[in-house]
Amino acid sequence: MKYESFLIKYSEIGLKGKNRYKFEDALVNNIQNSLYEWKDVFNVYKEQERIYVDSNRDFSEYYDKVIERLKKVFGICNICPIKKIEFTLDYKELSNKLLIFINEVYGDNPSFTFKVKTRRVNKEFPLHSDEVSAELGHDILCQFQNTKVDVHNPEIRFFVEIRNHINIYSEIISGPGGLPIGTSGKAMLLLSGGIDSPVAGYMIAKRGVVVEAIYFHAPPYTSDRAKQKVIDLAKIVSQYSSRIKLHVINFTDIQLAIYEKCPHDELTIIMRRYMMKIAERIANDNNCIALVTGESIGQVASQTLESLKSTNEVCGLPVFRPLISFDKEEIVSIAKRIDTFETSILPYEDCCTIFVAKHPVTKPNLNHIHKSEEKLVDCIDELVDKAIENHEVVLC
């Protein structure tokens, strides 16, 4: 079968009322961007609550690649390769087109159970939806002797949409769902080389949020391979979220100061608090209106409720934690599905693991944390300013 069009369906966007067109326009734009490599081949447009990816030529050579690209565009619920025909008032012409479609896709003598589902949007067509479905089902049975109707659990469903033109299709490929990127503001993701934070970036992007990222690098305690690992993770997430601007902060001097002057059982919490402070400053400078982390309650010492309260205290921006109630198995499952897992488990250290205490506090007392941080007043502001001023930006 030589397809020339994809029908793109959305779900949640349909609930947006008078603002729906904004989400539709964003989705059209994001699809165009995802297929930019083949911009001369495809035309993306919206029409009657549907979005189409059309071509004026057979695009068999691009078919699989296009499907893979579209499966990473948030906002898409389903991708349907369709046979598009001109609108007609002649039922017999419609029936012939459907029978030709079945022959091209399933062969001369197919054997399957089926159901026909018709949606008559264009009321000029003389038959009602159920009447069209019944008549088409009869014609299929007559034409293909080894087929049977099963309205409850058919092997094949044939869909006929009667609009300004007529769509015929039988394959529905699941998209990622969510909302189109760019419809929900911009946030700064604290991205490490672990399993969790890339998944958090994916999850927040699925809600239409533009993602920037910040990574805390600690040379020579962390290697260039550890930094490259994070860049690679950002590139994988960017396949879903659009291009990510990654801010790389040299955190070594700040960590050493904390290590030398603060109680070691509080190291993780205090380092985390300064990461959040720096992330917020970078976020504000780049018009981000929230921070995003990959934290999950109780997973490690710095992710108890008391620890999260301690790190939240230093932030004026809201901190979103998409994985807060997920267990590790659930997070790993998503990481494998979005292809970040194998990169995340590469054995390159990050700055958190190098300076971790043997017995970190799990229920930090904020009064104690404040007193410990007073030991840093003679140097910390200068170190933070220097780290921000000299930070590197990598486009992923």
Side-chain angles (χ1 to χ4, degrees):
M1 177 67 185
K2 295 183 178 180
Y3 291 106
E4 294 176 352
S5 295
F6 290 107
L7 167 63
I8 305 299
K9 294 184 179 181
Y10 52 72
S11 178
E12 192 173 348
I13 293 174
L15 304 175
K16 297 304 179 182
K18 294 181 180 180
N19 288 323
R20 183 170 65 188
Y21 76 94
K22 296 179 181 178
F23 292 84
E24 291 174 332
D25 291 345
L27 182 53
V28 167
N29 183 66
N30 292 345
I31 293 172
Q32 289 172 333
N33 289 339
S34 73
L35 302 180
Y36 184 80
E37 180 180 349
W38 309 298
K39 64 182 185 297
D40 296 331
V41 178
F42 296 102
N43 177 37
V44 185
Y45 64 96
K46 64 177 183 177
E47 181 183 284
Q48 291 185 303
E49 301 178 10
R50 291 287 189 263
I51 293 173
Y52 296 93
V53 179
D54 283 357
S55 175
N56 58 8
R57 67 177 96 165
D58 170 34
F59 54 76
S60 301
E61 62 179 297
Y62 309 106
Y63 183 87
D64 291 335
K65 294 178 181 178
V66 170
I67 291 292
E68 287 305 308
R69 295 281 179 91
L70 294 177
K71 286 168 70 174
K72 294 179 179 178
V73 178
F74 289 129
I76 294 178
C77 180
N78 295 123
I79 308 155
C80 308
I82 63 171
K83 183 71 173 180
K84 185 189 290 187
I85 63 175
E86 293 184 3
F87 176 76
T88 178
L89 294 175
D90 184 353
Y91 165 78
K92 192 60 179 177
E93 183 180 350
L94 169 59
S95 176
N96 288 337
K97 295 290 187 182
L98 175 59
L99 296 177
I100 291 171
F101 171 86
I102 295 173
N103 181 264
E104 290 181 348
V105 176
Y106 298 99
D108 295 332
N109 188 29
S111 176
F112 51 68
T113 59
F114 72 93
K115 176 182 179 179
V116 179
K117 176 71 173 179
T118 302
R119 184 179 180 190
R120 187 184 66 137
V121 178
N122 190 331
K123 305 305 181 185
E124 293 181 20
F125 195 81
L127 300 179
H128 292 281
S129 297
D130 289 343
E131 293 174 324
V132 175
S133 294
E135 292 296 328
L136 290 175
H138 174 267
D139 293 347
I140 293 171
L141 289 172
C142 292
Q143 180 72 19
F144 303 105
Q145 300 298 317
N146 291 324
T147 63
K148 295 180 180 180
V149 172
D150 184 344
V151 297
H152 299 295
N153 189 31
E155 295 172 316
I156 305 293
R157 286 178 169 86
F158 295 107
F159 297 90
V160 178
E161 294 188 352
I162 303 174
R163 299 174 175 273
N164 293 338
H165 52 263
I166 299 176
N167 300 327
I168 299 173
Y169 59 99
S170 61
E171 182 179 9
I172 298 178
I173 302 164
S174 295
L179 295 174
I181 295 294
T183 57
S184 302
K186 183 162 66 169
M188 183 65 68
L189 169 68
L190 278 76
L191 182 63
S192 73
I195 296 172
D196 302 341
S197 57
V199 174
Y202 167 88
M203 296 292 286
I204 202 71
K206 188 174 181 179
R207 302 309 304 156
V209 176
V210 174
V211 175
E212 290 198 17
I214 185 168
Y215 164 60
F216 293 90
H217 192 42
Y221 303 100
T222 54
S223 66
D224 286 340
R225 291 184 300 178
K227 175 182 170 183
Q228 185 60 49
K229 173 182 172 182
V230 173
I231 293 172
D232 292 341
L233 286 169
K235 288 179 179 179
I236 296 171
V237 175
S238 73
Q239 294 175 17
Y240 298 89
S241 68
S242 76
R243 200 169 193 184
I244 292 177
K245 184 160 68 170
L246 176 65
H247 303 266
V248 181
I249 302 291
N250 188 324
F251 202 58
T252 306
D253 292 342
I254 296 171
Q255 284 189 291
L256 289 174
I258 295 171
Y259 187 83
E260 291 171 1
K261 299 188 178 186
C262 297
H264 281 199
D265 63 341
E266 297 174 351
L267 287 178
T268 302
I269 292 298
I270 295 175
M271 288 179 187
R272 190 71 178 170
R273 280 163 63 89
Y274 278 98
M275 287 180 179
M276 299 294 272
K277 288 181 179 181
I278 293 171
E280 183 172 58
R281 284 181 57 177
I282 298 292
N284 286 328
D285 290 343
N286 289 272
N287 301 314
C288 297
I289 56 177
L291 301 180
V292 180
T293 77
E295 293 161 313
S296 170
I297 291 176
Q299 190 174 128
V300 294
S302 63
Q303 296 177 22
T304 63
L305 283 180
E306 293 84 357
S307 296
L308 296 177
K309 178 183 176 182
S310 296
T311 53
N312 270 17
E313 188 205 30
V314 303
C315 298
L317 292 178
V319 181
F320 296 140
R321 298 177 171 94
L323 310 182
I324 195 67
S325 65
F326 285 35
D327 62 36
K328 197 66 176 184
E329 186 175 332
E330 292 171 313
I331 299 170
V332 167
S333 176
I334 299 173
K336 289 180 178 178
R337 175 161 55 84
I338 65 174
D339 295 326
T340 57
F341 180 74
E342 294 300 328
T343 302
S344 291
I345 62 174
L346 292 174
Y348 307 139
E349 65 287 317
D350 63 41
C351 61
C352 297
T353 58
I354 295 297
F355 291 92
V356 68
K358 290 184 178 179
H359 302 289
V361 62
T362 58
K363 296 183 178 180
N365 183 301
L366 276 172
N367 291 327
H368 294 167
I369 296 296
H370 293 159
K371 289 181 180 178
S372 298
E373 289 180 345
E374 288 176 1
K375 301 174 183 178
L376 300 168
V377 294
D378 61 333
C379 65
I380 195 67
D381 289 343
E382 181 180 351
L383 293 176
V384 167
D385 290 342
K386 180 182 177 183
I388 293 174
E389 180 181 352
N390 296 322
H391 87 276
E392 177 188 3
V393 175
V394 181
L395 294 178
C396 300

mmCIF file of all heavy atoms in Angstrom, residues 224-239:
data_model
loop_
_atom_site.group_PDB
_atom_site.id
_atom_site.type_symbol
_atom_site.label_atom_id
_atom_site.label_comp_id
_atom_site.label_asym_id
_atom_site.label_seq_id
_atom_site.Cartn_x
_atom_site.Cartn_y
_atom_site.Cartn_z
ATOM 1 N N ASP A 224 35.697 13.990 32.180
ATOM 2 C CA ASP A 224 35.021 14.490 30.985
ATOM 3 C C ASP A 224 34.019 13.464 30.449
ATOM 4 O O ASP A 224 33.035 13.831 29.804
ATOM 5 C CB ASP A 224 36.052 14.825 29.900
ATOM 6 C CG ASP A 224 36.819 16.094 30.216
ATOM 7 O OD1 ASP A 224 36.322 16.896 31.031
ATOM 8 O OD2 ASP A 224 37.912 16.281 29.649
ATOM 9 N N ARG A 225 34.284 12.188 30.740
ATOM 10 C CA ARG A 225 33.332 11.162 30.305
ATOM 11 C C ARG A 225 32.007 11.303 31.046
ATOM 12 O O ARG A 225 30.933 11.055 30.482
ATOM 13 C CB ARG A 225 33.920 9.771 30.530
ATOM 14 C CG ARG A 225 35.090 9.439 29.616
ATOM 15 C CD ARG A 225 35.568 8.026 29.810
ATOM 16 N NE ARG A 225 36.011 7.768 31.179
ATOM 17 C CZ ARG A 225 36.436 6.602 31.628
ATOM 18 N NH1 ARG A 225 36.472 5.552 30.800
ATOM 19 N NH2 ARG A 225 36.818 6.458 32.872
ATOM 20 N N ALA A 226 32.072 11.696 32.323
ATOM 21 C CA ALA A 226 30.848 11.922 33.088
ATOM 22 C C ALA A 226 30.061 13.101 32.508
ATOM 23 O O ALA A 226 28.833 13.049 32.393
ATOM 24 C CB ALA A 226 31.184 12.185 34.552
ATOM 25 N N LYS A 227 30.763 14.134 32.125
ATOM 26 C CA LYS A 227 30.112 15.293 31.498
ATOM 27 C C LYS A 227 29.496 14.904 30.154
ATOM 28 O O LYS A 227 28.360 15.284 29.848
ATOM 29 C CB LYS A 227 31.140 16.412 31.313
ATOM 30 C CG LYS A 227 30.638 17.625 30.565
ATOM 31 C CD LYS A 227 31.763 18.638 30.411
ATOM 32 C CE LYS A 227 31.403 19.759 29.473
ATOM 33 N NZ LYS A 227 32.527 20.712 29.275
ATOM 34 N N GLN A 228 30.233 14.141 29.350
ATOM 35 C CA GLN A 228 29.718 13.728 28.051
ATOM 36 C C GLN A 228 28.491 12.843 28.208
ATOM 37 O O GLN A 228 27.557 12.892 27.396
ATOM 38 C CB GLN A 228 30.801 12.991 27.263
ATOM 39 C CG GLN A 228 30.392 12.637 25.840
ATOM 40 C CD GLN A 228 30.041 13.858 25.016
ATOM 41 O OE1 GLN A 228 30.777 14.838 24.973
ATOM 42 N NE2 GLN A 228 28.884 13.817 24.349
ATOM 43 N N LYS A 229 28.501 12.049 29.252
ATOM 44 C CA LYS A 229 27.343 11.192 29.535
ATOM 45 C C LYS A 229 26.084 12.037 29.740
ATOM 46 O O LYS A 229 25.008 11.717 29.211
ATOM 47 C CB LYS A 229 27.638 10.352 30.777
ATOM 48 C CG LYS A 229 26.475 9.539 31.309
ATOM 49 C CD LYS A 229 26.922 8.810 32.579
ATOM 50 C CE LYS A 229 25.767 8.136 33.283
ATOM 51 N NZ LYS A 229 26.200 7.471 34.530
ATOM 52 N N VAL A 230 26.208 13.123 30.477
ATOM 53 C CA VAL A 230 25.060 14.003 30.714
ATOM 54 C C VAL A 230 24.644 14.694 29.418
ATOM 55 O O VAL A 230 23.446 14.842 29.140
ATOM 56 C CB VAL A 230 25.400 15.033 31.810
ATOM 57 C CG1 VAL A 230 24.278 16.060 31.958
ATOM 58 C CG2 VAL A 230 25.637 14.329 33.142
ATOM 59 N N ILE A 231 25.610 15.108 28.621
ATOM 60 C CA ILE A 231 25.288 15.708 27.322
ATOM 61 C C ILE A 231 24.528 14.711 26.458
ATOM 62 O O ILE A 231 23.528 15.058 25.807
ATOM 63 C CB ILE A 231 26.580 16.183 26.615
ATOM 64 C CG1 ILE A 231 27.200 17.354 27.381
ATOM 65 C CG2 ILE A 231 26.289 16.586 25.172
ATOM 66 C CD1 ILE A 231 28.576 17.766 26.864
ATOM 67 N N ASP A 232 24.976 13.459 26.473
ATOM 68 C CA ASP A 232 24.297 12.424 25.691
ATOM 69 C C ASP A 232 22.867 12.205 26.192
ATOM 70 O O ASP A 232 21.939 12.013 25.390
ATOM 71 C CB ASP A 232 25.079 11.113 25.751
ATOM 72 C CG ASP A 232 26.418 11.191 25.023
ATOM 73 O OD1 ASP A 232 26.576 12.105 24.189
ATOM 74 O OD2 ASP A 232 27.296 10.349 25.306
ATOM 75 N N LEU A 233 22.682 12.232 27.498
ATOM 76 C CA LEU A 233 21.335 12.085 28.055
ATOM 77 C C LEU A 233 20.441 13.253 27.637
ATOM 78 O O LEU A 233 19.269 13.058 27.295
ATOM 79 C CB LEU A 233 21.397 11.991 29.585
ATOM 80 C CG LEU A 233 21.917 10.674 30.153
ATOM 81 C CD1 LEU A 233 22.183 10.789 31.647
ATOM 82 C CD2 LEU A 233 20.925 9.544 29.881
ATOM 83 N N ALA A 234 21.003 14.459 27.669
ATOM 84 C CA ALA A 234 20.221 15.622 27.243
ATOM 85 C C ALA A 234 19.816 15.499 25.773
ATOM 86 O O ALA A 234 18.694 15.871 25.396
ATOM 87 C CB ALA A 234 21.028 16.904 27.474
ATOM 88 N N LYS A 235 20.701 14.959 24.960
ATOM 89 C CA LYS A 235 20.377 14.786 23.539
ATOM 90 C C LYS A 235 19.260 13.768 23.341
ATOM 91 O O LYS A 235 18.403 13.948 22.467
ATOM 92 C CB LYS A 235 21.631 14.356 22.773
ATOM 93 C CG LYS A 235 22.660 15.469 22.612
ATOM 94 C CD LYS A 235 23.889 14.983 21.855
ATOM 95 C CE LYS A 235 24.897 16.117 21.673
ATOM 96 N NZ LYS A 235 26.118 15.666 20.947
ATOM 97 N N ILE A 236 19.258 12.720 24.158
ATOM 98 C CA ILE A 236 18.182 11.730 24.044
ATOM 99 C C ILE A 236 16.848 12.347 24.454
ATOM 100 O O ILE A 236 15.837 12.190 23.759
ATOM 101 C CB ILE A 236 18.495 10.491 24.903
ATOM 102 C CG1 ILE A 236 19.745 9.777 24.382
ATOM 103 C CG2 ILE A 236 17.309 9.524 24.901
ATOM 104 C CD1 ILE A 236 20.248 8.673 25.289
ATOM 105 N N VAL A 237 16.838 13.055 25.581
ATOM 106 C CA VAL A 237 15.602 13.692 26.038
ATOM 107 C C VAL A 237 15.131 14.735 25.031
ATOM 108 O O VAL A 237 13.921 14.913 24.813
ATOM 109 C CB VAL A 237 15.798 14.327 27.431
ATOM 110 C CG1 VAL A 237 14.548 15.094 27.866
ATOM 111 C CG2 VAL A 237 16.137 13.258 28.465
ATOM 112 N N SER A 238 16.080 15.409 24.372
ATOM 113 C CA SER A 238 15.711 16.460 23.415
ATOM 114 C C SER A 238 14.977 15.914 22.197
ATOM 115 O O SER A 238 14.311 16.667 21.488
ATOM 116 C CB SER A 238 16.957 17.233 22.965
ATOM 117 O OG SER A 238 17.759 16.460 22.079
ATOM 118 N N GLN A 239 15.075 14.607 21.948
ATOM 119 C CA GLN A 239 14.309 14.014 20.848
ATOM 120 C C GLN A 239 12.807 14.126 21.115
ATOM 121 O O GLN A 239 12.005 14.106 20.188
ATOM 122 C CB GLN A 239 14.704 12.551 20.670
ATOM 123 C CG GLN A 239 16.138 12.351 20.212
ATOM 124 C CD GLN A 239 16.523 10.877 20.163
ATOM 125 O OE1 GLN A 239 15.659 10.003 20.158
ATOM 126 N NE2 GLN A 239 17.816 10.596 20.134
#
